[in-house]
Amino acid sequence: MAETITIRLKVNGVEKEVTVKPNERLLDVLREKFYINSVKAGCLRGECGICTVIMNGKLVKSCLVLAPEADGAEILTVEGLSRPGKPSVVQRAFIEKFGFQCGFCTPAFIMAAYWIVENMPDASEKEIKEILNSVICRCTGYKQIIEAIKYAIELKKQA
Amino acid sequence: MKAYKYVGKPIPRQDVSKVFGDAIYAYDVKLPGMLYAKLVGSTYAHARIKRIDYSKALKVPGVIKVFTGEDFPFKVGIYAADRDVLARGKVLYYGHPVAGVVAETPEAAEEAAELIEVEYEPLEPVLTIEDALRPDAPLIHEHMEEYRHASFIYPRPGTNIANYLKLRKGDIKKGFEEADVVVESEYREPLISHAYMENWVGIARVLSDGTVEVWSSHQSPFAVRHLLAASLGLPIGKVVVHHTFVGGGFGGKAGLLLEHIPVLFSMKLGGRPVRLELNREENFLFMAQRAGYLFKMKTGATKDGRLVAHYGEYYLDAGAYADYTVNIGRSVGFVPTGPYEVPNIHVDSITVYTNKVPTTAFRGFGMQEMHFAFEQQIDQLAEKLGMDPLELRLKNAIVPGKSYLPTQVRVREDAGDPAGTMKRAAELIGWGKKPEKPDEPWKFRGIGIASFWKGPVQPSNAASSAIVKVNEDGSVDVLVGTGEMGQGTIYALAQIVAEELGIPVEKVRVAPIRSTDSVAYTWQTVGSRGLFSEGQALMRALDDLKNQMREIAARVFNVFKDEIEIKDGKACVKGKPWECISLAEMALGYTLPNGNAIHGPLIGRGSHVPSQTTYLDPETGRGEPKPFMTFGTGAVEVEVDLLNMRVRVLKAVTVLDTPVINPGLALGQAYGGAVMGISIALNEELKLTKDGRLLNPNFTDYKVARAGDIPVEMVAEFLGVGQKNAPYGAKGVGELTMLAWPAAIANAIYNAIGVRIRKLPITPDNLLEAIKEQRPELLKELDKYLLGGE
């Protein structure tokens, strides 16, 4: 596929036009054109969820979004949550509650957690689990991730 | 445990880059001028390669080169070097790489790989342990006698047996004569996958001075270096292996993975960097997985509940390459029973080749599988004896200092507290109380318990070392070869340094990203051995450092060395807190008032080898195989739903005997190990077609536990019973946390519905089959609730 198209994306607040092939995945555009290191490929078919980002306010698996579909979109990744030395409440909660181990799925869980904290501050444990069901973590057994999310909700309420 | 400032505290781990997105994995490594490799997998499980035609592939723009097996006429491996680089002459499993393309872009490599034509002459595939052992079975490895292997591995050329281990203790005949009750059962576990989140990736280049550099997703950088050098005939000092963060290992990234492939491709292409990245399907097909098992067990006890005899035939279905799995065959063979003293044991552990995906280490190294079988033998014996299963366990539990291992060596006095873990786990699960009966009459609850033990399975001389350097500001760099794959051992080591030197833990750095040429050696990061082994090396390095601090301070204050104490990052004269020198002041040596400098930079060094371990006798298995064992017990409450045949774990309790350095990290292992163990018990299986094709190389069909699948309640406790020579008494817990679950769940299912589970995974199909065989009346009962019923 030799043709290319130009799309415009706002990634973590920075707007940029990039030239992509129409069959490129948002995942690859973010990694290669926007140098977003946190977004990882795990299965490239929407099963493992570790490439999850927030696109226009929704959690999406960036391996399942084609670049043209993302034209004009606003994307948020973990790189956009914090300023140097100042973690967001979600990141702070994951650090304090041991919400990560190998870390390969962690950016996806943090984005899911951020989405929950922002959109469902009264989420029950069952609702939290339902959202987390879309991302696989093989290390933690999820318990400390869920504890971190509950703690982040609390921190947010205190702030 | 005594109260410390840092040790025993849940101090957040230092690798916070993982939550900010700037942690670097091998997956993230790119080099200028990098080429991309793609492998072509076999479409047969067993076949001769007649012809490989890659002329079309070479015409794809950007393709540099196509390699086949004949380009690399040698074997690679760790314990039994049985692996071809690319298949030579025959393919041995479905997916076996037969060719490799190298191209300038991943797209060109992929397109070219699809154009490679391979003509096969199919051979009869050998797909079960029973078939592999038939006298007329096709030979999978026709020239096994030529394979290089470790001295403690006993292959049988001319058969499909990759290793044969014998364990003999006491007098088995006499043992069974004494027995009043005997239980005989067979247990099976299928091949399963580690399913770590970072697919394997490796990048290699060869510099003009001959240095071979490798970045890859591995657990043990020094093992990769050693095996690359040994297999490829490279000078080891010219091989540099870079360790990055690792996206999960669980044993699946131990030893040498596929690093030799990009290294060899790079060597043949003038040293240009070559990247081989597997996608998820390839990771299921090309990477080694966990072996399948068949245990045949016969265990006897006297009527007062004394275990007197155990006979076992243990078979491991190792797949096409048993390179690493031969050592797991040893592991289950020389620890063939649970944590009990059994005076008479006769076990053969036989590792068998089949035409399936190769297998390797997996968290637990055979011990989850062995306990799945043995801990059900215990429950069955208890039932026959009319005895409480907990009581039978307590009666026979290993008594440190008194009991003898299956390998006939006395268990050290400070080995731990097996009985203590049994009692506490029973308490926490509510042993003896009947679980609540659910309202729905088709649901049943039960509780089950399983005890376990394990130590690392390693060569008797597996070594570790550590270096501690002091920086100008009094901060400390710790150099150890321990891999970081999520378990966080290096951060526990940092806490030990902070405690010993009395400096804030933030001032201790253990770099997670490092290279074999710039850190201290360690054999491997496997077997929950890192904390114990590198921990001891580190304690010695700290002793060395503190001794140097004392020497300097003694000279400065003109006192004897033993009058100096190390406190709060300073060396002070005892009783004179004003006569002190700080770590910062002596980091590069100390300058006296007249300008004379003394000592030079502070560097502590320490080494460790498990000097008490020995080779095992080839006829009886007698010897000391392990430097330590950790003991524990898991207990569960399950709910069996007979309408959908699903089992749910409501509560999971873990109790381990060891103290821990960081309870946050240790609990993370406990919860993660429990969920992985439950997932293996209930879901996981690599499914093959009748001709050996893998049916489920993806996460839709290979189901691992998700957040919604975890137990309602998970509890873990550590009793704090340490081993004297372990740092702060603490032994690693990573594997231990996973051993109990299939056994405990199976025992709980029996407790709930009186059906014994002898085959994993406990899927609705397998559960239904077991019920039909053992208690068909349950299904009849169920009819009442279906379609209105009666």
Side-chain angles (χ1 to χ4, degrees), chain A residues 31 37 40-42 47 91 101-103 133 138-139 142-144, chain B residues 18-19 21 23 25 27-28 194 280 668 684 699-700 705-706 708:
Chain A
R31 284 187 67 83
N37 184 66
K40 314 285 191 201
E47 295 165 341
Q91 287 162 312
Q101 289 182 26
C102 88
N133 270 340
R138 189 64 155 165
C139 297
Y142 305 99
K143 183 172 158 89
Q144 286 163 314
Chain B
K18 288 171 179 172
V19 309
Y25 299 80
Y27 168 80
D28 300 309
H194 308 83
R280 184 56 64 183
E684 298 186 30
F699 287 135
T700 306
R706 292 178 185 260

PDB file of all heavy atoms in Angstrom, chain A residues 31 37 40-42 47 91 101-103 133 138-139 142-144, chain B residues 18-19 21 23 25 27-28 194 280 668 684 699-700 705-706 708:
ATOM      1  N   ARG A  31       3.600   5.250  18.644  1.00  0.00           N
ATOM      2  CA  ARG A  31       4.984   4.876  18.985  1.00  0.00           C
ATOM      3  C   ARG A  31       5.991   5.509  18.026  1.00  0.00           C
ATOM      4  O   ARG A  31       7.013   6.028  18.458  1.00  0.00           O
ATOM      5  CB  ARG A  31       5.163   3.349  18.963  1.00  0.00           C
ATOM      6  CG  ARG A  31       4.584   2.643  20.178  1.00  0.00           C
ATOM      7  CD  ARG A  31       4.928   1.159  20.190  1.00  0.00           C
ATOM      8  NE  ARG A  31       6.359   0.927  20.369  1.00  0.00           N
ATOM      9  CZ  ARG A  31       6.978   0.923  21.541  1.00  0.00           C
ATOM     10  NH1 ARG A  31       6.293   1.116  22.648  1.00  0.00           N
ATOM     11  NH2 ARG A  31       8.290   0.701  21.626  1.00  0.00           N
ATOM     12  N   ASN A  37       6.349   6.051  24.273  1.00  0.00           N
ATOM     13  CA  ASN A  37       6.982   4.775  24.639  1.00  0.00           C
ATOM     14  C   ASN A  37       6.056   3.865  25.447  1.00  0.00           C
ATOM     15  O   ASN A  37       6.221   2.653  25.456  1.00  0.00           O
ATOM     16  CB  ASN A  37       8.258   5.072  25.436  1.00  0.00           C
ATOM     17  CG  ASN A  37       9.027   3.811  25.780  1.00  0.00           C
ATOM     18  OD1 ASN A  37       9.538   3.145  24.884  1.00  0.00           O
ATOM     19  ND2 ASN A  37       9.078   3.469  27.050  1.00  0.00           N
ATOM     20  N   LYS A  40       2.277  -0.283  24.317  1.00  0.00           N
ATOM     21  CA  LYS A  40       2.959  -1.516  23.901  1.00  0.00           C
ATOM     22  C   LYS A  40       2.013  -2.425  23.137  1.00  0.00           C
ATOM     23  O   LYS A  40       0.812  -2.437  23.400  1.00  0.00           O
ATOM     24  CB  LYS A  40       3.449  -2.287  25.131  1.00  0.00           C
ATOM     25  CG  LYS A  40       4.153  -1.469  26.193  1.00  0.00           C
ATOM     26  CD  LYS A  40       5.552  -1.072  25.800  1.00  0.00           C
ATOM     27  CE  LYS A  40       6.310  -0.488  26.975  1.00  0.00           C
ATOM     28  NZ  LYS A  40       7.436   0.342  26.559  1.00  0.00           N
ATOM     29  N   ALA A  41       2.591  -3.232  22.252  1.00  0.00           N
ATOM     30  CA  ALA A  41       1.803  -4.247  21.552  1.00  0.00           C
ATOM     31  C   ALA A  41       1.866  -5.549  22.326  1.00  0.00           C
ATOM     32  O   ALA A  41       2.934  -5.954  22.773  1.00  0.00           O
ATOM     33  CB  ALA A  41       2.350  -4.462  20.156  1.00  0.00           C
ATOM     34  N   GLY A  42       0.719  -6.194  22.498  1.00  0.00           N
ATOM     35  CA  GLY A  42       0.721  -7.494  23.172  1.00  0.00           C
ATOM     36  C   GLY A  42       0.167  -8.583  22.290  1.00  0.00           C
ATOM     37  O   GLY A  42       0.636  -9.721  22.318  1.00  0.00           O
ATOM     38  N   GLU A  47      -7.190  -8.444  22.267  1.00  0.00           N
ATOM     39  CA  GLU A  47      -7.489  -9.408  23.321  1.00  0.00           C
ATOM     40  C   GLU A  47      -6.855  -9.051  24.652  1.00  0.00           C
ATOM     41  O   GLU A  47      -7.428  -9.282  25.701  1.00  0.00           O
ATOM     42  CB  GLU A  47      -6.970 -10.792  22.918  1.00  0.00           C
ATOM     43  CG  GLU A  47      -7.662 -11.361  21.708  1.00  0.00           C
ATOM     44  CD  GLU A  47      -6.901 -12.537  21.127  1.00  0.00           C
ATOM     45  OE1 GLU A  47      -5.709 -12.693  21.412  1.00  0.00           O
ATOM     46  OE2 GLU A  47      -7.513 -13.290  20.366  1.00  0.00           O
ATOM     47  N   GLN A  91      -1.189   7.681  39.351  1.00  0.00           N
ATOM     48  CA  GLN A  91       0.179   7.154  39.358  1.00  0.00           C
ATOM     49  C   GLN A  91       0.704   7.019  40.782  1.00  0.00           C
ATOM     50  O   GLN A  91       1.334   6.025  41.138  1.00  0.00           O
ATOM     51  CB  GLN A  91       1.086   8.053  38.514  1.00  0.00           C
ATOM     52  CG  GLN A  91       0.795   7.870  37.023  1.00  0.00           C
ATOM     53  CD  GLN A  91       1.322   9.013  36.187  1.00  0.00           C
ATOM     54  OE1 GLN A  91       1.097  10.177  36.510  1.00  0.00           O
ATOM     55  NE2 GLN A  91       2.014   8.695  35.102  1.00  0.00           N
ATOM     56  N   GLN A 101       3.949  -4.751  38.637  1.00  0.00           N
ATOM     57  CA  GLN A 101       5.140  -5.595  38.817  1.00  0.00           C
ATOM     58  C   GLN A 101       6.049  -5.471  37.592  1.00  0.00           C
ATOM     59  O   GLN A 101       6.901  -4.595  37.547  1.00  0.00           O
ATOM     60  CB  GLN A 101       4.750  -7.042  39.129  1.00  0.00           C
ATOM     61  CG  GLN A 101       4.163  -7.159  40.553  1.00  0.00           C
ATOM     62  CD  GLN A 101       3.788  -8.573  40.949  1.00  0.00           C
ATOM     63  OE1 GLN A 101       4.334  -9.538  40.458  1.00  0.00           O
ATOM     64  NE2 GLN A 101       2.831  -8.699  41.862  1.00  0.00           N
ATOM     65  N   CYS A 102       5.826  -6.311  36.567  1.00  0.00           N
ATOM     66  CA  CYS A 102       6.741  -6.207  35.417  1.00  0.00           C
ATOM     67  C   CYS A 102       6.536  -4.893  34.682  1.00  0.00           C
ATOM     68  O   CYS A 102       7.436  -4.391  34.021  1.00  0.00           O
ATOM     69  CB  CYS A 102       6.615  -7.406  34.479  1.00  0.00           C
ATOM     70  SG  CYS A 102       5.358  -7.262  33.188  1.00  0.00           S
ATOM     71  N   GLY A 103       5.339  -4.334  34.766  1.00  0.00           N
ATOM     72  CA  GLY A 103       5.104  -3.006  34.220  1.00  0.00           C
ATOM     73  C   GLY A 103       4.681  -2.950  32.768  1.00  0.00           C
ATOM     74  O   GLY A 103       4.337  -1.881  32.268  1.00  0.00           O
ATOM     75  N   ASN A 133     -11.503  -5.911  33.147  1.00  0.00           N
ATOM     76  CA  ASN A 133     -11.546  -7.177  32.404  1.00  0.00           C
ATOM     77  C   ASN A 133     -10.970  -7.062  30.998  1.00  0.00           C
ATOM     78  O   ASN A 133     -10.624  -8.058  30.388  1.00  0.00           O
ATOM     79  CB  ASN A 133     -12.996  -7.670  32.293  1.00  0.00           C
ATOM     80  CG  ASN A 133     -13.369  -8.568  33.456  1.00  0.00           C
ATOM     81  OD1 ASN A 133     -12.499  -9.115  34.127  1.00  0.00           O
ATOM     82  ND2 ASN A 133     -14.654  -8.717  33.711  1.00  0.00           N
ATOM     83  N   ARG A 138      -0.529 -10.505  33.964  1.00  0.00           N
ATOM     84  CA  ARG A 138      -0.178 -11.871  34.351  1.00  0.00           C
ATOM     85  C   ARG A 138       0.582 -11.908  35.677  1.00  0.00           C
ATOM     86  O   ARG A 138       0.810 -12.974  36.220  1.00  0.00           O
ATOM     87  CB  ARG A 138       0.655 -12.480  33.213  1.00  0.00           C
ATOM     88  CG  ARG A 138       0.950 -13.965  33.325  1.00  0.00           C
ATOM     89  CD  ARG A 138      -0.276 -14.855  33.274  1.00  0.00           C
ATOM     90  NE  ARG A 138       0.061 -16.192  32.801  1.00  0.00           N
ATOM     91  CZ  ARG A 138      -0.743 -17.249  32.924  1.00  0.00           C
ATOM     92  NH1 ARG A 138      -1.931 -17.113  33.469  1.00  0.00           N
ATOM     93  NH2 ARG A 138      -0.371 -18.410  32.451  1.00  0.00           N
ATOM     94  N   CYS A 139       0.996 -10.728  36.164  1.00  0.00           N
ATOM     95  CA  CYS A 139       1.847 -10.708  37.374  1.00  0.00           C
ATOM     96  C   CYS A 139       1.077 -10.542  38.671  1.00  0.00           C
ATOM     97  O   CYS A 139       1.310 -11.256  39.628  1.00  0.00           O
ATOM     98  CB  CYS A 139       2.852  -9.562  37.316  1.00  0.00           C
ATOM     99  SG  CYS A 139       4.059  -9.622  35.989  1.00  0.00           S
ATOM    100  N   TYR A 142      -4.218  -8.792  40.051  1.00  0.00           N
ATOM    101  CA  TYR A 142      -5.175  -7.677  39.977  1.00  0.00           C
ATOM    102  C   TYR A 142      -5.518  -7.033  41.325  1.00  0.00           C
ATOM    103  O   TYR A 142      -5.989  -5.905  41.369  1.00  0.00           O
ATOM    104  CB  TYR A 142      -6.487  -8.101  39.284  1.00  0.00           C
ATOM    105  CG  TYR A 142      -6.291  -8.697  37.920  1.00  0.00           C
ATOM    106  CD1 TYR A 142      -6.288 -10.080  37.721  1.00  0.00           C
ATOM    107  CD2 TYR A 142      -6.080  -7.885  36.801  1.00  0.00           C
ATOM    108  CE1 TYR A 142      -6.096 -10.633  36.462  1.00  0.00           C
ATOM    109  CE2 TYR A 142      -5.877  -8.433  35.535  1.00  0.00           C
ATOM    110  CZ  TYR A 142      -5.897  -9.812  35.375  1.00  0.00           C
ATOM    111  OH  TYR A 142      -5.691 -10.351  34.132  1.00  0.00           O
ATOM    112  N   LYS A 143      -5.312  -7.735  42.420  1.00  0.00           N
ATOM    113  CA  LYS A 143      -5.799  -7.226  43.710  1.00  0.00           C
ATOM    114  C   LYS A 143      -5.191  -5.864  44.048  1.00  0.00           C
ATOM    115  O   LYS A 143      -5.903  -4.926  44.421  1.00  0.00           O
ATOM    116  CB  LYS A 143      -5.500  -8.244  44.820  1.00  0.00           C
ATOM    117  CG  LYS A 143      -6.036  -7.847  46.192  1.00  0.00           C
ATOM    118  CD  LYS A 143      -5.869  -9.001  47.171  1.00  0.00           C
ATOM    119  CE  LYS A 143      -5.866  -8.564  48.610  1.00  0.00           C
ATOM    120  NZ  LYS A 143      -7.163  -8.500  49.249  1.00  0.00           N
ATOM    121  N   GLN A 144      -3.864  -5.760  43.913  1.00  0.00           N
ATOM    122  CA  GLN A 144      -3.236  -4.488  44.271  1.00  0.00           C
ATOM    123  C   GLN A 144      -3.551  -3.385  43.253  1.00  0.00           C
ATOM    124  O   GLN A 144      -3.499  -2.203  43.581  1.00  0.00           O
ATOM    125  CB  GLN A 144      -1.721  -4.678  44.453  1.00  0.00           C
ATOM    126  CG  GLN A 144      -1.401  -5.417  45.773  1.00  0.00           C
ATOM    127  CD  GLN A 144       0.000  -5.985  45.810  1.00  0.00           C
ATOM    128  OE1 GLN A 144       0.436  -6.609  44.843  1.00  0.00           O
ATOM    129  NE2 GLN A 144       0.712  -5.799  46.911  1.00  0.00           N
TER     130      GLN A 144
ATOM    131  N   LYS B  18       7.949   2.710  35.379  1.00  0.00           N
ATOM    132  CA  LYS B  18       6.905   1.863  34.792  1.00  0.00           C
ATOM    133  C   LYS B  18       5.533   2.541  34.822  1.00  0.00           C
ATOM    134  O   LYS B  18       4.693   2.253  33.981  1.00  0.00           O
ATOM    135  CB  LYS B  18       6.833   0.515  35.530  1.00  0.00           C
ATOM    136  CG  LYS B  18       8.021  -0.393  35.235  1.00  0.00           C
ATOM    137  CD  LYS B  18       8.018  -1.605  36.145  1.00  0.00           C
ATOM    138  CE  LYS B  18       9.187  -2.526  35.832  1.00  0.00           C
ATOM    139  NZ  LYS B  18       9.293  -3.614  36.835  1.00  0.00           N
ATOM    140  N   VAL B  19       5.292   3.408  35.795  1.00  0.00           N
ATOM    141  CA  VAL B  19       3.993   4.082  35.817  1.00  0.00           C
ATOM    142  C   VAL B  19       4.014   5.408  35.054  1.00  0.00           C
ATOM    143  O   VAL B  19       2.969   5.997  34.802  1.00  0.00           O
ATOM    144  CB  VAL B  19       3.434   4.310  37.244  1.00  0.00           C
ATOM    145  CG1 VAL B  19       3.449   3.039  38.068  1.00  0.00           C
ATOM    146  CG2 VAL B  19       4.146   5.422  37.959  1.00  0.00           C
ATOM    147  N   GLY B  21       5.711   5.595  32.061  1.00  0.00           N
ATOM    148  CA  GLY B  21       5.788   5.235  30.640  1.00  0.00           C
ATOM    149  C   GLY B  21       7.173   5.283  30.048  1.00  0.00           C
ATOM    150  O   GLY B  21       7.351   5.014  28.867  1.00  0.00           O
ATOM    151  N   ALA B  23       9.842   3.438  31.129  1.00  0.00           N
ATOM    152  CA  ALA B  23      10.628   2.219  31.360  1.00  0.00           C
ATOM    153  C   ALA B  23      10.975   1.599  30.007  1.00  0.00           C
ATOM    154  O   ALA B  23      10.135   1.576  29.104  1.00  0.00           O
ATOM    155  CB  ALA B  23       9.815   1.231  32.191  1.00  0.00           C
ATOM    156  N   TYR B  25      12.027  -1.635  27.787  1.00  0.00           N
ATOM    157  CA  TYR B  25      12.051  -3.091  27.636  1.00  0.00           C
ATOM    158  C   TYR B  25      12.822  -3.414  26.358  1.00  0.00           C
ATOM    159  O   TYR B  25      13.001  -2.537  25.504  1.00  0.00           O
ATOM    160  CB  TYR B  25      10.617  -3.626  27.531  1.00  0.00           C
ATOM    161  CG  TYR B  25       9.795  -3.330  28.761  1.00  0.00           C
ATOM    162  CD1 TYR B  25       9.223  -2.072  28.955  1.00  0.00           C
ATOM    163  CD2 TYR B  25       9.620  -4.289  29.749  1.00  0.00           C
ATOM    164  CE1 TYR B  25       8.498  -1.783  30.103  1.00  0.00           C
ATOM    165  CE2 TYR B  25       8.887  -4.012  30.897  1.00  0.00           C
ATOM    166  CZ  TYR B  25       8.326  -2.756  31.069  1.00  0.00           C
ATOM    167  OH  TYR B  25       7.619  -2.473  32.203  1.00  0.00           O
ATOM    168  N   TYR B  27      11.691  -4.797  23.950  1.00  0.00           N
ATOM    169  CA  TYR B  27      10.706  -4.421  22.926  1.00  0.00           C
ATOM    170  C   TYR B  27      10.917  -2.997  22.430  1.00  0.00           C
ATOM    171  O   TYR B  27      10.635  -2.681  21.277  1.00  0.00           O
ATOM    172  CB  TYR B  27       9.314  -4.583  23.550  1.00  0.00           C
ATOM    173  CG  TYR B  27       8.160  -3.983  22.779  1.00  0.00           C
ATOM    174  CD1 TYR B  27       7.621  -4.656  21.690  1.00  0.00           C
ATOM    175  CD2 TYR B  27       7.592  -2.768  23.173  1.00  0.00           C
ATOM    176  CE1 TYR B  27       6.542  -4.113  20.998  1.00  0.00           C
ATOM    177  CE2 TYR B  27       6.521  -2.225  22.490  1.00  0.00           C
ATOM    178  CZ  TYR B  27       6.006  -2.899  21.403  1.00  0.00           C
ATOM    179  OH  TYR B  27       4.938  -2.367  20.723  1.00  0.00           O
ATOM    180  N   ASP B  28      11.419  -2.097  23.298  1.00  0.00           N
ATOM    181  CA  ASP B  28      11.569  -0.686  22.931  1.00  0.00           C
ATOM    182  C   ASP B  28      12.919  -0.370  22.281  1.00  0.00           C
ATOM    183  O   ASP B  28      13.145   0.758  21.848  1.00  0.00           O
ATOM    184  CB  ASP B  28      11.436   0.187  24.191  1.00  0.00           C
ATOM    185  CG  ASP B  28      10.081   0.015  24.851  1.00  0.00           C
ATOM    186  OD1 ASP B  28       9.067   0.139  24.147  1.00  0.00           O
ATOM    187  OD2 ASP B  28      10.038  -0.251  26.071  1.00  0.00           O
ATOM    188  N   HIS B 194       3.262 -19.729  29.501  1.00  0.00           N
ATOM    189  CA  HIS B 194       3.578 -18.700  30.496  1.00  0.00           C
ATOM    190  C   HIS B 194       2.705 -17.463  30.293  1.00  0.00           C
ATOM    191  O   HIS B 194       2.345 -16.800  31.243  1.00  0.00           O
ATOM    192  CB  HIS B 194       5.036 -18.284  30.384  1.00  0.00           C
ATOM    193  CG  HIS B 194       5.983 -19.440  30.411  1.00  0.00           C
ATOM    194  ND1 HIS B 194       6.269 -20.182  29.286  1.00  0.00           N
ATOM    195  CD2 HIS B 194       6.677 -20.000  31.421  1.00  0.00           C
ATOM    196  CE1 HIS B 194       7.115 -21.144  29.627  1.00  0.00           C
ATOM    197  NE2 HIS B 194       7.380 -21.060  30.899  1.00  0.00           N
ATOM    198  N   ARG B 280       2.186 -12.396  19.044  1.00  0.00           N
ATOM    199  CA  ARG B 280       1.601 -13.277  20.054  1.00  0.00           C
ATOM    200  C   ARG B 280       1.471 -14.715  19.542  1.00  0.00           C
ATOM    201  O   ARG B 280       1.806 -15.670  20.239  1.00  0.00           O
ATOM    202  CB  ARG B 280       0.243 -12.721  20.512  1.00  0.00           C
ATOM    203  CG  ARG B 280      -0.408 -13.498  21.632  1.00  0.00           C
ATOM    204  CD  ARG B 280       0.455 -13.650  22.884  1.00  0.00           C
ATOM    205  NE  ARG B 280       0.760 -12.399  23.543  1.00  0.00           N
ATOM    206  CZ  ARG B 280       1.545 -12.304  24.625  1.00  0.00           C
ATOM    207  NH1 ARG B 280       2.082 -13.383  25.182  1.00  0.00           N
ATOM    208  NH2 ARG B 280       1.811 -11.126  25.148  1.00  0.00           N
ATOM    209  N   GLY B 668       2.326  -9.005  46.699  1.00  0.00           N
ATOM    210  CA  GLY B 668       2.140  -8.972  45.243  1.00  0.00           C
ATOM    211  C   GLY B 668       2.420 -10.333  44.624  1.00  0.00           C
ATOM    212  O   GLY B 668       1.690 -10.803  43.752  1.00  0.00           O
ATOM    213  N   GLU B 684      -6.355 -23.341  31.856  1.00  0.00           N
ATOM    214  CA  GLU B 684      -5.292 -23.245  30.856  1.00  0.00           C
ATOM    215  C   GLU B 684      -4.870 -24.585  30.263  1.00  0.00           C
ATOM    216  O   GLU B 684      -4.622 -25.548  30.981  1.00  0.00           O
ATOM    217  CB  GLU B 684      -4.091 -22.515  31.462  1.00  0.00           C
ATOM    218  CG  GLU B 684      -4.474 -21.094  31.847  1.00  0.00           C
ATOM    219  CD  GLU B 684      -3.303 -20.250  32.327  1.00  0.00           C
ATOM    220  OE1 GLU B 684      -2.176 -20.479  31.871  1.00  0.00           O
ATOM    221  OE2 GLU B 684      -3.537 -19.365  33.164  1.00  0.00           O
ATOM    222  N   PHE B 699      -5.187 -15.102  22.950  1.00  0.00           N
ATOM    223  CA  PHE B 699      -5.839 -14.926  24.252  1.00  0.00           C
ATOM    224  C   PHE B 699      -7.359 -15.031  24.193  1.00  0.00           C
ATOM    225  O   PHE B 699      -8.018 -14.882  25.215  1.00  0.00           O
ATOM    226  CB  PHE B 699      -5.432 -13.591  24.870  1.00  0.00           C
ATOM    227  CG  PHE B 699      -4.020 -13.578  25.385  1.00  0.00           C
ATOM    228  CD1 PHE B 699      -3.170 -12.520  25.123  1.00  0.00           C
ATOM    229  CD2 PHE B 699      -3.538 -14.638  26.131  1.00  0.00           C
ATOM    230  CE1 PHE B 699      -1.869 -12.506  25.606  1.00  0.00           C
ATOM    231  CE2 PHE B 699      -2.236 -14.650  26.618  1.00  0.00           C
ATOM    232  CZ  PHE B 699      -1.401 -13.570  26.354  1.00  0.00           C
ATOM    233  N   THR B 700      -7.923 -15.253  23.001  1.00  0.00           N
ATOM    234  CA  THR B 700      -9.351 -15.545  22.948  1.00  0.00           C
ATOM    235  C   THR B 700      -9.572 -17.000  23.354  1.00  0.00           C
ATOM    236  O   THR B 700     -10.491 -17.318  24.105  1.00  0.00           O
ATOM    237  CB  THR B 700      -9.907 -15.327  21.529  1.00  0.00           C
ATOM    238  OG1 THR B 700      -9.570 -14.008  21.110  1.00  0.00           O
ATOM    239  CG2 THR B 700     -11.415 -15.505  21.493  1.00  0.00           C
ATOM    240  N   ALA B 705      -6.566 -15.727  33.538  1.00  0.00           N
ATOM    241  CA  ALA B 705      -7.495 -15.054  34.452  1.00  0.00           C
ATOM    242  C   ALA B 705      -7.495 -13.551  34.210  1.00  0.00           C
ATOM    243  O   ALA B 705      -6.457 -12.937  33.983  1.00  0.00           O
ATOM    244  CB  ALA B 705      -7.092 -15.341  35.891  1.00  0.00           C
ATOM    245  N   ARG B 706      -8.677 -12.976  34.247  1.00  0.00           N
ATOM    246  CA  ARG B 706      -8.838 -11.526  34.187  1.00  0.00           C
ATOM    247  C   ARG B 706      -9.343 -11.026  35.539  1.00  0.00           C
ATOM    248  O   ARG B 706      -9.654 -11.837  36.428  1.00  0.00           O
ATOM    249  CB  ARG B 706      -9.785 -11.156  33.047  1.00  0.00           C
ATOM    250  CG  ARG B 706      -9.154 -11.467  31.684  1.00  0.00           C
ATOM    251  CD  ARG B 706     -10.092 -11.163  30.532  1.00  0.00           C
ATOM    252  NE  ARG B 706      -9.507 -11.592  29.266  1.00  0.00           N
ATOM    253  CZ  ARG B 706      -8.899 -10.775  28.399  1.00  0.00           C
ATOM    254  NH1 ARG B 706      -8.812  -9.490  28.634  1.00  0.00           N
ATOM    255  NH2 ARG B 706      -8.395 -11.251  27.277  1.00  0.00           N
ATOM    256  N   GLY B 708     -12.058  -9.984  36.683  1.00  0.00           N
ATOM    257  CA  GLY B 708     -13.336 -10.493  37.161  1.00  0.00           C
ATOM    258  C   GLY B 708     -13.286 -11.937  37.635  1.00  0.00           C
ATOM    259  O   GLY B 708     -14.251 -12.446  38.211  1.00  0.00           O
TER     260      GLY B 708
END
